[in-house]
Amino acid sequence: MAADLANQLIDDFSLPAEHGSVSLYDTYEAAGRRLSRDKLSRDVYLQRRFTRCTPPGWLQQLPQFLWRRIWTLNIDDTLGVAYDTSESRKQKLAEFNWIDRHVDSHDSLQAIQLHGSARRPDQLVFSILQYVRATTARHAWHRIFGDHISQQPFIVVGARLTDEIDLAEILAAGTTVRENHGLPSLIVLKDVTPLAREKLEASGLQVIQSTAQDFFAELLPKVRQAETRLAGTFGFHNAPPGPEAIAFLAQFVELRLDAKPPLNRADFYSGFDPAWFDILESLDARFLRTAEIVASVEQASNAASPTQQVELLFGPMGTGKTTALLRVAKELIALRCTPWLFRGDTVVDVGAAKYWLKRLPRSVLLFDGIADHATALNALLEGGANDGLNVNIVATERERRLRQTLSAIPPAFIGDHRLRHVSQLNDADIFCLVAKLTEKTRLGKLTRETAYRQRNYFRNDSGRLLWVGMANLEGGGGFIDRLTTRFAELDSLSRDVVHAIAISYQFGYSLPVGVIATATGMNPKVLLSEIRDGQLSEWVRPTNQGMALKHRFVATTIVERTLDLAKRYRQTLAVATALAPLVDRDAIRLRTIPYRIVRNLLDAGTVEELVGGLAVSWYRELESGYGWNARYWEQRALTHVAVDDLPAARSYAEKAFDILKDPFTMTTLGGVLLRQATKIQMKSGVPAMDLYWEGVELLRRARASASTHGDHPVTVFVNQTIAFCKSLPNDSPLPAAVVSTMESWLTTFEATPAFGYSFNARWCSDAQKAWLELLVKHSAST
């Protein structure tokens, strides 16, 4: 314990103090100015004292459990020894010091040493100065711990959480885990005073007064019983689920008819994102697209041979896509299918999903937002086709991300007939919607109107737009006006919080608490208190991954209507800067939530929409946080392309290509080179053929190495080649090599899977017409 170590330092370093008279912080600092009685420096002394330790009995039980992550405040090596010597461990341990680079890996069990390790005594967190350094440094682990303990279920063992200066603000903030999960976080303490219990319970922790040995001795058989029940429920022959099953269950949640209502229930009809329990209570109306998807999945599930398919609902925001997805899930249960909703916090584990589908072929996988996972799902679909597995997927996506999805998944698995566009309500949908609102007595201002007038309200007054009609139904007045008026009533710091969350949630991603606090300066404890009981409670809701607004439509509206250009610039920079420590190469590999937020936020088109002419300056300010990242330089290059600054665009595209040689950087650099060749030709009249062919070669390599079925290198080549040829003199024939290359690319594109999508076929037809016109024009001139 801390007091014991302080007394040992007093004795072994001959400090002028009595036992119990000074703190560990003071004795630690004083020992650093002396040698011990054995002529050891303080660091060597601590290294010998706290390495090659014997783990206590309770700690030797930990390897028998499956943990998501372990955080430790101790500096000794007992945890590592326990895992190294265990004959029944379920996971391999990987230890990280608080100062180490953040890695988010599921390949091994991470143990994070928040106060350092005696093996590296120069990086311990003991003195006041070291506590300050740990708190203020830009390292990610303390911030990640703060986000997780405030939102995820924890078991705290032994640590009293009262004397840790670097964690004081985090722990004082409390936890929303009971609201998020319906479960408490536990703290196991051998002794606890009434006052300490009161403080811990006020922070949201449930106190278990017990020794660690007794706690884990009681817990282990209960876990084994739960694993056996789980195995029986899902047909694993009463054997404990293997790592593949555990991995699948960590990524997907079963949507069950006996689900319990959430503790803090939001009003579905007031515009909150739909929850599974809203569908269980039949609060939603059944629209035509739902029936089409259910029929398709039923046919696939009952087919004589295994099928692999994706049913995709796509459309603009606020059109009921998520509600329809959950309605499909409920109806599939009646057809003896089991719906599994993807949690969305990391990349899809394809191996685990195949393992699960092989054993439970009537499982249906649901994705509320498929674009970020399309490449992994294509691998799952292809693997299912090769192995004879049923792979039935139902998904949603916003219209603007449709092309990204279809570039990864070919028509063989999805096809035009499974692309369900959701935009405006048809008459059948309106009839069902009015009937449902009548049944639930939620017609608002239409209550006393005739049935014809009620339906006409959704047809004409609301323009057949679901969200607009629902938003104006019960509140009166224009929804946008009400929203912006209520928003203006918030204090400035609360508005900053809503803005930060809206910037992230417009892409569909919750923002971690630590990122919000860093980006806005709001104390985490105040933030969580305001979200639970204060003025932010009607705007913000906790999720498993962080904080979200009540609906994505609200997030988009807030960004578009309440942020002027200067504020957008400042707020988006603050969010991107706060996210930077959480995004590294491992985060990219695992496609974590922070990575996905950054990927969307750094998109050149998005930045142009958000900050307009300030985009060049915006990227410049983020160089210190993202300069290692190829995508940052690639998108920065595209921003300079947009303002016709091709020299800078080339330098940045070259930088991206130097960092990472992949189809994206090749395509960006190739496109820039073709643009430069065109510009040189237009200015000087001298064809820059070497530059042109250099760009074409990069695009050819991009096309050859692409793992997806996308068309981007093709479209860049065709569009830029047409532009290049238009810049050539009309009285000269087109270069024969350019003509043959263009015809080869267009011909081979027609043979690719991407051509199977109608929009690609239309683009190819238009490109062929434009090319033919050029050929005729130059042929006629000669």
Side-chain angles (χ1 to χ4, degrees):
M1 304 297 286
D4 297 328
L5 179 57
N7 292 337
Q8 288 179 15
L9 291 173
I10 289 172
D11 293 340
D12 293 340
F13 283 81
S14 303
L15 302 182
E18 300 293 330
H19 282 192
S21 63
V22 289
S23 69
L24 175 59
Y25 318 130
D26 293 330
T27 56
Y28 175 83
E29 289 184 347
R33 298 188 290 268
R34 296 168 168 79
L35 294 177
S36 74
R37 291 173 178 175
D38 295 331
K39 307 302 181 184
L40 301 176
S41 69
R42 178 196 62 193
D43 286 354
V44 174
Y45 172 90
L46 290 174
Q47 190 174 46
R48 292 188 180 184
R49 174 71 179 79
F50 289 105
T51 57
R52 293 186 293 175
C53 297
T54 302
W58 71 266
L59 205 150
Q60 293 176 1
Q61 297 181 66
L62 288 192
Q64 300 179 63
F65 297 87
L66 282 166
W67 301 102
R68 179 173 181 180
R69 184 179 273 134
I70 292 177
W71 304 83
T72 177
L73 305 179
N74 297 338
I75 67 168
D76 59 68
D77 63 356
T78 54
L79 184 63
V81 172
Y83 271 83
D84 287 342
T85 58
S86 174
E87 296 180 356
S88 56
R89 73 180 186 188
K90 288 181 171 288
Q91 295 160 291
K92 181 181 178 181
L93 192 72
E95 294 180 279
F96 292 80
N97 203 332
W98 69 277
I99 206 169
D100 289 339
R101 181 173 63 88
H102 167 242
V103 176
D104 199 346
S105 171
H106 294 279
D107 300 333
S108 57
L109 170 62
Q110 293 181 316
I112 317 302
Q113 298 160 316
L114 286 172
H115 287 167
S117 166
R119 291 190 295 266
R120 297 157 69 179
D122 59 318
Q123 294 173 357
L124 294 177
V125 180
F126 260 103
S127 68
I128 297 295
L129 182 61
Q130 289 169 332
Y131 274 115
V132 171
R133 181 165 66 114
T135 305
T136 58
R138 286 178 51 82
H139 300 289
W141 286 119
H142 277 75
R143 289 174 51 187
I144 293 170
F145 173 74
D147 288 335
H148 284 195
I149 200 167
S150 68
Q151 296 167 222
Q152 301 290 338
F154 266 65
I155 298 177
V156 183
V157 184
R160 296 183 180 276
L161 305 182
T162 55
D163 303 320
E164 317 303 337
I165 297 174
D166 57 324
L167 304 177
E169 187 175 70
I170 291 171
L171 300 171
T175 174
T176 60
V177 65
R178 192 180 289 275
E179 292 91 331
N180 290 352
H181 297 270
L183 305 166
S185 281
L186 309 178
I187 180 165
V188 182
L189 295 171
K190 180 180 178 181
D191 300 301
V192 58
T193 66
L195 189 60
R197 177 187 290 270
E198 179 182 307
K199 183 177 180 180
L200 291 167
E201 290 178 347
S203 296
L205 294 166
Q206 182 170 317
V207 178
I208 306 294
Q209 190 162 354
S210 168
T211 65
Q213 184 74 30
D214 290 343
F215 174 78
F216 284 108
E218 184 172 348
L219 186 62
L220 186 58
K222 295 182 184 297
V223 169
R224 293 291 181 264
Q225 291 169 11
E227 288 175 341
T228 300
R229 286 197 305 272
L230 187 69
T233 300
F234 296 117
F236 291 103
H237 309 297
N238 291 326
E244 297 93 343
I246 295 297
F248 179 86
L249 293 170
Q251 292 198 322
F252 291 85
V253 58
E254 183 187 5
L255 298 180
R256 300 171 57 92
L257 296 178
D258 59 356
K260 296 180 180 179
L263 294 177
N264 292 327
R265 184 90 180 273
D267 184 3
F268 174 62
Y269 292 121
S270 291
F272 283 85
D273 283 329
W276 174 236
F277 206 77
D278 296 325
I279 311 303
L280 292 183
E281 290 197 334
S282 297
L283 301 185
D284 63 310
R286 186 179 192 265
F287 293 157
L288 178 62
R289 294 301 191 192
T290 302
E292 294 173 349
I293 293 173
V294 171
S296 173
V297 176
E298 180 184 18
Q299 181 180 5
S301 299
N302 295 330
S305 58
T307 58
Q308 302 82 33
Q309 67 175 43
V310 179
E311 285 284 348
L312 180 58
L313 278 163
F314 73 97
M317 58 187 178
T319 50
K321 298 184 295 295
T322 301
T323 302
L325 182 72
L326 297 176
R327 163 55 57 182
V328 166
K330 182 180 178 183
E331 297 193 10
L332 288 176
I333 295 174
L335 300 174
R336 297 182 298 107
C337 293
T338 306
W340 295 90
L341 181 64
F342 186 62
R343 298 176 189 270
D345 56 355
T346 186
V347 68
V348 178
D349 188 324
V350 174
K354 287 175 61 178
Y355 173 90
W356 192 269
L357 295 174
K358 181 177 181 180
R359 286 153 181 79
L360 293 150
R362 294 190 71 83
S363 295
V364 179
L365 308 183
L366 310 179
F367 291 83
D368 192 16
I370 191 178
D372 287 320
H373 311 286
T375 300
L377 291 181
N378 182 60
L380 175 59
L381 290 158
E382 289 181 342
N386 293 333
D387 298 343
L389 302 177
N390 270 330
V391 183
N392 285 309
I393 296 170
V394 183
T396 69
E397 192 48 81
R398 283 196 176 187
E399 197 159 12
R400 64 181 296 176
R401 304 191 75 191
L402 179 64
R403 186 175 290 271
Q404 179 184 340
T405 302
L406 300 185
S407 69
I409 301 177
F413 299 126
I414 187 166
D416 285 342
H417 62 292
R418 296 197 189 97
L419 294 175
R420 316 282 184 179
H421 190 213
V422 182
S423 178
Q424 295 182 324
L425 297 168
N426 59 41
D427 284 344
D429 292 341
I430 290 173
F431 187 89
C432 290
L433 178 59
V434 170
K436 178 59 65 175
L437 294 173
T438 301
E439 174 194 340
K440 299 298 182 181
T441 320
R442 295 301 296 264
L443 274 166
K445 63 184 182 182
L446 299 179
T447 301
R448 289 174 289 157
E449 300 286 351
T450 64
Y452 173 80
R453 172 66 190 121
Q454 291 166 352
R455 292 192 288 271
N456 213 42
Y457 164 81
F458 286 101
R459 287 192 192 101
N460 300 328
D461 299 15
S462 305
R464 295 183 178 271
L465 299 176
L466 175 63
W467 177 262
V468 173
M470 292 300 298
N472 291 326
L473 195 59
E474 293 182 310
F479 169 70
I480 302 299
D481 292 339
R482 284 189 288 117
L483 186 68
T484 53
T485 299
R486 295 288 296 276
F487 180 77
E489 295 171 357
L490 296 172
D491 62 62
S492 62
L493 188 54
S494 295
R495 289 199 298 271
D496 286 346
V497 169
V498 175
H499 281 147
I501 298 172
I503 288 166
S504 175
Y505 200 54
Q506 66 177 328
F507 308 125
Y509 306 118
S510 303
L511 197 61
V513 172
V515 174
I516 300 170
T518 302
T520 64
M522 180 177 274
N523 178 283
K525 182 176 182 179
V526 175
L527 172 63
L528 290 174
S529 175
E530 286 294 314
I531 290 170
R532 276 193 292 261
D533 308 308
Q535 58 181 336
L536 288 175
S537 60
E538 65 174 315
W539 293 90
V540 180
R541 61 185 180 88
T543 71
N544 290 343
Q545 291 88 26
M547 297 294 164
L549 298 189
K550 65 180 184 178
H551 198 284
R552 285 178 68 179
F553 187 87
V554 173
T556 303
T557 302
I558 288 294
V559 171
E560 291 178 351
R561 299 300 183 100
T562 68
L563 279 171
D564 60 27
L565 194 62
K567 288 181 180 177
R568 285 190 194 182
Y569 184 89
R570 186 182 73 248
Q571 292 280 21
T572 51
L573 267 181
V575 171
T577 301
L579 283 163
L582 305 183
V583 179
D584 55 24
R585 289 177 175 82
D586 292 288
I588 295 171
R589 177 175 63 86
L590 293 166
R591 307 185 77 83
T592 61
I593 296 294
Y595 157 71
R596 280 182 255 164
I597 299 171
V598 167
R599 188 180 190 278
N600 281 273
L601 190 54
L602 262 63
D603 178 82
T606 299
V607 175
E608 170 64 25
E609 290 178 8
L610 289 171
V611 302
L614 301 176
V616 169
S617 171
W618 191 89
Y619 279 105
R620 186 188 308 121
E621 293 204 46
L622 289 175
E623 184 173 339
S624 62
Y626 293 96
W628 60 272
N629 186 298
R631 178 168 173 80
Y632 162 80
W633 291 107
E634 180 196 355
Q635 297 302 306
R636 188 172 177 180
L638 293 175
T639 295
H640 282 264
V641 167
V643 296
D644 203 30
D645 182 7
L646 294 181
R650 176 171 184 176
S651 291
Y652 298 149
E654 294 274 11
K655 178 70 173 177
F657 184 62
D658 183 55
I659 294 172
L660 180 66
K661 294 174 176 59
D662 73 356
F664 299 104
T665 58
M666 291 179 195
T667 300
T668 299
L669 179 55
V672 170
L673 295 181
L674 263 59
R675 287 175 183 272
Q676 279 195 308
T678 301
K679 194 166 186 177
I680 290 171
Q681 156 64 29
M682 293 175 67
K683 281 188 173 182
S684 65
V686 178
M689 296 308 301
D690 289 345
L691 195 61
Y692 170 83
W693 288 116
E694 186 181 350
V696 171
E697 173 59 19
L698 282 166
L699 293 171
R700 185 198 64 76
R701 290 171 59 188
R703 190 179 180 192
S705 60
S707 59
T708 67
H709 304 276
D711 58 339
H712 192 45
V714 180
T715 57
V716 170
F717 166 79
V718 171
N719 292 338
Q720 294 308 315
T721 293
I722 289 175
F724 177 76
C725 291
K726 284 182 177 179
S727 71
L728 295 173
N730 291 333
D731 57 355
S732 63
L734 297 180
V738 173
V739 173
S740 62
T741 303
M742 171 66 88
E743 292 177 352
S744 172
W745 278 56
L746 287 172
T747 301
T748 56
F749 179 67
E750 291 180 342
T752 64
F755 191 76
Y757 289 118
S758 58
F759 68 88
N760 276 332
R762 288 193 298 272
W763 169 84
C764 189
S765 176
D766 292 342
Q768 288 171 330
K769 290 177 183 177
W771 180 245
L772 181 60
E773 289 173 1
L774 265 176
L775 289 175
V776 170
K777 181 178 180 180
H778 282 265
S779 297
S781 66
T782 57

